[in-house]
Amino acid sequence: MTDYFEVHERDGPARIGELRLADSIHTPALIDDSIEDAGSLWSEERTTPVGDETALTVLPHRSFPAGTDTEVEEAFAVEYPTVEFPSAAVISRETAGDHGSDAYILSSASGIVGHASKFVDTIVDVRTSIPADTALLLSGVATPANAATLAYAGVDLFDSNRAYVRGLEGFYLTADGEEFLEDLTELPCSCPACQRGRDAFDREHCAEHNVAAIETELARVRERIRAGRLRDYLEGQARHDAWLTAAFRRLDQQYSYLEQHTPLLRQSTLLAASDDSMRRVEIQRFADRVCTRYRNRFEQPLALVPCSARKPYSESQSHGQFHDAIHYRAHKVSMTSPIGVVPQELEYTYPAQHYDSVVTGRWSAEEIDFVARVLTEYLEQNEYPRYIAHVPPGGYREICERVEKRTGIEFEYTVSDHPTTAESLANLRETLSGESKYLKREREHNTVRAIADYQLGPDAGTELFGTEISVDGWLPSLRVHDKGQLATIVPQYGTLAFTLAGARRWLDSSVPTKRVEIDPFVPQGSVLAPGIVDASADIRVGDEVVIEGPKAFAVGRASMSGPEMTTSTRGIAVEVRHVDER
């Protein structure tokens, strides 16, 4: 059981945690002044130390360098004792597991940092093997340049040994790399060590600066995690070193690891500033759900239109003009980089109204490939009586032409030069003349059902909200009723929040339910991890969940993933919205 470490906030695998010592440390952080090593068992036998809450005590251990044979590690494995003070166990990739400690120190850190594939594979294996609510410490490897990448991968604690030694060797470290001190004409920093000026600055001062630079970088990382924007920062910062860029991209290939830790929704803006952005979990998840879960329920033609800089699209001037020309006679679907295609019912759903991209007027080859693939998959799942492409020349048109070749679909193109010119809008209006209109009520009902599909699974909207529902309010704040309120669309995220009646309907349906089983108590405001008996493995942070226990039935939003709920011994697992005492 973890007594001295708790995770408070999450941003992918990166976390804001608290190591509860006499003077608590908020991670990711340096632990130089708050760690005591009880010694190596290679040199001599050692007794269990008498630790206390002033420091994290490293229990007597045997370290193994990277590449040690598994049989050797097993032969010399350490049985760590159960102690009543903050403790850390030394592990390798092969010996990682639950040893009852609050933190785990990776013995092979110096052998993997600098090698992208070894680093990523090792961290993923270790992080998934040790308990979720324990800290991971890498010693002797941290620099201002790599700290953000290490934290993004799931590392919580560091020491300043490498940075300090590099300073004594004459290397001046910053978040974008290192320079030999003798090559610097002036010092690009205002830390206490650097305020002496270049002429009075020696290697001892350089070592002091390097430590201060790591502390500054970790403070920046913590703030980025709190804001849910560490990935945005990393996409630029990691490019200062080839191995960091490789590690960053290698992490993107570990989709299941990242996806389990990535929230379903955020309030922060997702910045798509490079082709790497298209590999983000949030974007891949949205595209996958649109292509596999969403089902078009309109009988009208498809009207494919370009996205807008303003989000949600319907509030932009261009989409206002598209709406006036379409006038409920077609189903509007927006094409966009980086997230692919966005049916009008999902334009409020995260991340469709939460992203910002770099607009240059030119599409990269990777953007064209990605959006063409998504549009192809979308059209293979959704049929329309006609396919109208109201898109400008260039990247949009090239995507449509690729899709035509792949699917055999023929688009009717309505743009002469630009989508919002009078001529182009007239062409769109004329092309749709004679088509039947759908009603506002139909659009609202289809929006509710489409969000349910996206959020809960294929055909969930039909299963939960059939023909008998009524809807009131205004988009995006719709309320769903059927002999009482069932759910509300949360406008900030474009997702459904259930009432108790809605949760019961969900539970009684054939739609897979995200369930949390709790001990016999009535939750008040939140459910803590220690009170959870079991949880669905596919629960992600931000998911709507049903909570059941001998004394209560409730509904709320997940603050941990399902696997974390079942293995953590600290922290808020679910924020409860409604509860019914049994």
Side-chain angles (χ1 to χ4, degrees):
M1 178 176 179
T2 306
D3 293 320
Y4 295 97
F5 184 75
E6 180 177 346
V7 178
H8 293 305
E9 298 183 57
R10 296 164 177 81
D11 184 8
R15 303 98 62 85
I16 296 290
E18 182 182 2
L19 182 59
R20 291 199 171 105
L21 305 178
D23 293 319
S24 288
I25 296 174
H26 289 88
T27 65
L30 294 179
I31 196 171
D32 294 339
D33 299 328
S34 303
I35 191 166
E36 295 288 343
D37 190 351
S40 171
L41 292 169
W42 288 120
S43 57
E44 59 182 276
E45 289 298 319
R46 300 178 186 273
T47 59
T48 301
V50 180
D52 58 41
E53 296 185 9
T54 62
L56 180 70
T57 299
V58 184
L59 300 173
H61 55 275
R62 292 190 183 95
S63 297
F64 299 95
T68 300
D69 189 273
T70 302
E71 292 183 0
V72 174
E73 294 197 30
E74 291 176 350
F76 292 96
V78 176
E79 291 289 335
Y80 288 104
T82 300
V83 296
E84 301 298 325
F85 51 81
S87 67
V90 176
I91 58 167
S92 68
R93 182 178 180 179
E94 287 70 24
T95 62
D98 185 357
H99 298 287
S101 291
D102 305 286
Y104 293 87
I105 303 173
L106 182 61
S107 62
S108 60
S110 61
I112 62 170
V113 169
H115 304 276
S117 60
K118 288 182 180 178
F119 167 73
V120 171
D121 293 347
T122 299
I123 295 299
V124 170
D125 283 352
V126 169
R127 191 71 266 182
T128 53
S129 297
I130 63 177
D133 57 347
T134 57
L136 177 60
L137 192 161
L138 265 58
S139 178
V141 297
T143 68
N146 68 24
T149 300
L150 300 182
Y152 179 71
V155 182
D156 305 287
L157 294 169
F158 313 87
D159 62 31
S160 62
N161 294 349
R162 176 176 172 79
Y164 192 86
V165 170
R166 291 298 278 170
L168 296 179
E169 294 171 342
F171 289 92
Y172 186 93
L173 307 186
T174 66
D176 57 3
E178 63 180 26
E179 298 287 344
F180 190 59
L181 181 58
E182 300 305 320
D183 294 335
L184 291 178
T185 303
E186 55 184 295
L187 305 174
C189 176
S190 60
C191 72
C194 293
Q195 288 179 2
R196 294 174 174 84
R198 179 65 187 90
D199 292 340
F201 194 85
D202 60 22
R203 292 191 176 192
E204 288 283 351
H205 301 139
C206 189
E208 293 175 21
H209 154 79
N210 288 352
V211 175
I214 293 185
E215 291 175 333
T216 298
E217 182 67 2
L218 288 172
R220 181 181 292 116
V221 167
R222 289 192 295 271
E223 282 301 297
R224 285 283 180 165
I225 295 172
R226 292 184 183 104
R229 301 198 62 179
L230 180 59
R231 169 67 186 236
D232 296 347
Y233 174 66
L234 204 62
E235 285 192 14
Q237 195 273 343
R239 281 181 166 75
H240 294 299
D241 191 298
W243 96 263
L244 292 175
T245 303
F248 167 69
R249 292 177 175 171
R250 181 81 178 185
L251 269 167
D252 277 347
Q253 296 170 11
Q254 296 281 349
Y255 181 80
S256 60
Y257 174 69
L258 293 181
E259 194 278 329
Q260 179 179 314
H261 293 89
T262 301
L264 184 69
L265 44 85
R266 306 177 194 263
Q267 290 186 343
S268 59
T269 299
L270 185 158
L271 177 61
S274 70
D275 286 345
D276 285 323
S277 301
M278 285 181 286
R279 291 184 282 275
R280 292 185 64 148
V281 167
E282 299 96 322
I283 288 170
Q284 294 291 330
R285 179 193 279 152
F286 184 87
D288 176 69
R289 291 190 177 194
V290 167
C291 293
T292 61
R293 295 185 176 191
Y294 171 83
R295 179 169 67 83
N296 171 46
R297 292 176 169 84
F298 293 95
E299 297 179 355
Q300 285 72 19
L302 166 70
L304 202 58
V305 300
C307 65
S308 65
R310 184 168 181 174
K311 316 294 186 304
Y313 306 137
S314 59
E315 296 182 6
S316 69
Q317 182 177 358
S318 61
H319 277 245
Q321 293 172 304
F322 300 156
H323 174 75
D324 291 342
I326 294 171
H327 202 56
Y328 302 104
R329 296 175 297 175
H331 178 226
K332 183 179 66 124
V333 174
S334 301
M335 292 173 58
T336 178
S337 175
I339 61 176
V341 298
V342 182
Q344 65 185 27
E345 305 98 302
L346 299 180
E347 67 173 49
Y348 292 94
T349 302
Y350 182 86
Q353 71 160 325
H354 303 81
Y355 76 95
D356 192 10
S357 59
V358 177
V359 180
T360 64
R362 299 177 65 87
W363 290 65
S364 71
E366 190 163 351
E367 286 178 306
I368 291 173
D369 289 343
F370 176 71
V371 178
R373 176 180 65 79
V374 175
L375 181 57
T376 298
E377 292 179 11
Y378 174 83
L379 293 178
E380 288 173 345
Q381 295 296 319
N382 294 280
E383 293 186 5
Y384 293 88
R386 296 170 64 192
Y387 300 85
I388 297 161
H390 189 73
V391 296
Y396 284 106
R397 184 70 177 254
E398 183 176 343
I399 290 168
C400 290
E401 290 171 350
R402 287 193 186 188
V403 172
E404 285 180 313
K405 291 179 181 178
R406 294 174 183 175
T407 63
I409 288 170
E410 293 186 6
F411 287 108
E412 301 173 54
Y413 294 98
T414 55
V415 172
S416 54
D417 47 8
H418 190 276
T420 59
T421 62
E423 181 181 357
S424 295
L425 292 170
N427 289 342
L428 177 59
R429 189 177 297 108
E430 178 61 28
T431 300
L432 289 171
S433 63
E435 295 289 346
S436 62
K437 295 181 181 180
Y438 58 81
L439 301 176
K440 176 186 175 185
R441 175 178 173 275
E442 183 180 357
R443 177 185 178 183
E444 292 173 343
H445 286 206
N446 285 350
T447 296
V448 169
R449 294 174 183 130
I451 292 174
D453 290 346
Y454 176 89
Q455 193 172 340
L456 306 177
D459 295 320
T462 300
E463 177 77 14
L464 297 178
F465 308 118
T467 59
E468 303 301 320
I469 64 166
S470 62
V471 175
D472 64 15
W474 292 266
L475 278 170
S477 300
L478 297 177
R479 295 179 295 275
V480 188
H481 300 267
D482 183 4
K483 301 175 183 177
Q485 187 171 333
L486 300 176
T488 300
I489 297 178
V490 182
Q492 296 95 320
Y493 309 117
T495 54
L496 292 168
F498 286 104
T499 63
L500 288 172
R504 288 191 174 94
R505 176 176 287 203
W506 182 18
L507 195 63
D508 293 339
S509 73
S510 61
V511 177
T513 311
K514 300 191 177 186
R515 304 173 66 165
V516 176
E517 183 183 349
I518 62 173
D519 286 324
F521 67 94
V522 179
Q524 302 295 327
S526 61
V527 175
L528 301 180
I532 291 178
V533 177
D534 198 10
S536 301
D538 60 348
I539 292 174
R540 301 292 178 259
V541 174
D543 260 328
E544 196 76 357
V545 297
V546 173
I547 305 152
E548 293 184 286
K551 292 189 175 181
F553 178 85
V555 63
R557 180 178 293 159
S559 298
M560 292 180 179
S561 67
E564 282 185 287
M565 290 182 188
T566 56
T567 59
S568 296
T569 56
R570 282 186 173 274
I572 296 173
V574 183
E575 295 286 357
V576 177
R577 185 182 312 110
H578 305 290
V579 61
D580 188 7
E581 186 172 356
R582 287 174 166 168

